[in-house]
Amino acid sequence: MSQSCLPRLPSRKIFGVDVATLSKSEALDVIVDGLRTSRSINVAFANANLLLKARRDPLLQRQLGGMLVLNDGVGVDIASRILYGKGFPENLNGTDLTPELLKRLPKRTPVFLYGSRPAVVCRAAEILRQKYQSEICGVCDGYCDNPDVAVDAIKRAHAKVVLVALGNPKQEQWMSEKVSACGVLALGVGGYLDVETGRVKRPPRWLRTAKCEWLFRITQEPSRLWRRYTIEVIWFLAAVALDRIAVSSPWGRLRREL
Ligand code: UDP
């Protein structure tokens, strides 16, 4: 999909990726409006981990350039404070924003679920039908080797919205390469279906308000997540600080003026 599908939005560049500076309701307006006007929009929730991958991978950076990229997590907020002296209006992650979107979709909008384990995606379909009266028109788990299987299923189901739960950067790469063939609105929602089905627990609200959800997530999946939320976040913030120093150096100022 191309950037032209997106309206011009206020944003801040972090590692070459334009991260939109929108409140939750503004982000929902952009997404619902894209759907109303049949614009094919991909939505990515950028946490420190994804931005760090984009920093090392110019192709991923370009792929994200065609999407509505929203800020996910305290690391990205601190990065914005280091680079621009201010944080984002709100924390926007897939797990909180997706239910709000499902509630706001026009009645009978066909929604397709792609990704996560077979039992999770089937159970998630039942839950979303009951909880949000969503019109789930099809599902496909995320462990098939051929990504075109999902594309064919999405087309056959005449989906208008696809929730893509493949983890990052797989879901962003899939959206960038495949979604224009489906002509849908796609959101890379990471572990959202795991949360809805109770396979992954969310922390109590006070821990989320204190911006410490990451601490809770480490206790849930220590072997997969400890490195991401410790060494990688430190590395991410160090790289952001280096960018900040480079930009304010005489050479950085000259480069911006040229
Ligand atoms: N997943 C998948 N196919 C894969 C790898 C992962 O469907 O090849 C799913 C996995 O089952 C889980 C989600 O992707 O439901 C990962 O979400 P999470 O947010 O935990 O990953 P992150 O985006 O944080 O890496």
Side-chain angles (χ1 to χ4, degrees):
M1 84 150 264
S2 71
Q3 185 128 31
S4 59
C5 295
L6 276 174
R8 276 181 87 82
L9 296 169
S11 64
R12 292 184 197 141
K13 222 180 243 315
I14 302 177
F15 295 158
V17 176
D18 287 314
V19 184
T21 51
L22 300 175
S23 65
K24 188 193 277 184
S25 70
E26 288 167 337
L28 285 168
D29 285 347
V30 172
I31 297 170
V32 173
D33 198 51
L35 189 67
R36 195 177 49 77
T37 54
S38 298
R39 271 178 298 186
S40 188
I41 294 181
N42 290 330
V43 183
F45 296 93
N47 55 18
N49 183 256
L50 180 65
L51 290 176
L52 210 46
K53 284 174 183 156
R55 183 175 187 260
R56 298 181 193 128
D57 180 351
L59 174 61
L60 178 61
Q61 218 177 85
R62 279 200 300 281
Q63 289 173 326
L64 289 169
M67 299 185 192
L68 169 60
V69 182
L70 302 173
N71 59 293
D72 173 4
V74 65
V76 178
D77 196 58
I78 296 173
S80 171
R81 287 173 198 277
I82 294 172
L83 292 169
Y84 298 93
K86 51 194 171 198
F88 284 96
E90 277 180 79
N91 181 29
L92 303 176
N93 60 62
T95 304
D96 290 325
L97 200 88
T98 310
E100 301 292 326
L101 175 66
L102 292 176
K103 286 184 217 159
R104 276 194 53 175
L105 288 178
K107 253 192 167 27
R108 309 199 72 78
T109 302
V111 178
F112 191 98
L113 308 182
Y114 174 38
S116 73
R117 297 167 193 206
V120 170
V121 72
C122 291
R123 179 80 189 109
E126 287 168 23
I127 291 173
L128 300 190
R129 280 185 192 118
Q130 281 168 15
K131 224 169 146 180
Y132 309 112
Q133 282 73 53
S134 297
E135 180 80 15
I136 305 298
C137 61
V139 303
C140 179
D141 73 78
Y143 292 90
C144 172
D145 285 339
N146 181 356
D148 290 327
V149 169
V151 174
D152 292 341
I154 289 164
K155 284 184 186 162
R156 274 200 311 274
H158 302 290
K160 285 258 184 289
V161 175
V162 183
L163 304 186
V164 190
L166 299 173
N168 80 49
K170 207 171 166 184
Q171 60 199 19
E172 287 75 21
Q173 288 162 341
W174 183 87
M175 290 194 294
S176 173
E177 287 162 16
K178 303 291 180 187
V179 158
S180 52
C182 308
V184 294
L185 171 85
L187 290 93
V189 297
Y192 169 63
L193 303 181
D194 292 306
V195 171
E196 280 290 9
T197 54
R199 203 190 77 80
V200 170
K201 301 252 171 306
R202 286 203 87 188
R205 189 170 290 279
W206 66 267
L207 212 55
R208 279 185 264 159
T209 313
K211 301 188 175 174
C212 290
E213 179 156 6
W214 58 276
L215 259 178
F216 185 85
R217 286 203 70 193
I218 294 182
T219 63
Q220 294 244 298
E221 295 179 88
S223 56
R224 188 172 79 94
L225 295 179
W226 77 268
R227 193 185 151 86
R228 179 188 298 188
Y229 288 125
T230 53
I231 296 170
E232 281 194 13
V233 168
I234 294 167
W235 179 239
F236 170 75
L237 292 176
V240 168
L242 282 177
D243 267 14
R244 175 78 184 89
I245 292 165
V247 165
S248 51
S249 70
W251 167 238
R253 279 202 297 273
L254 186 65
R255 253 189 12 180
R256 272 184 297 149
E257 277 159 26
L258 289 176

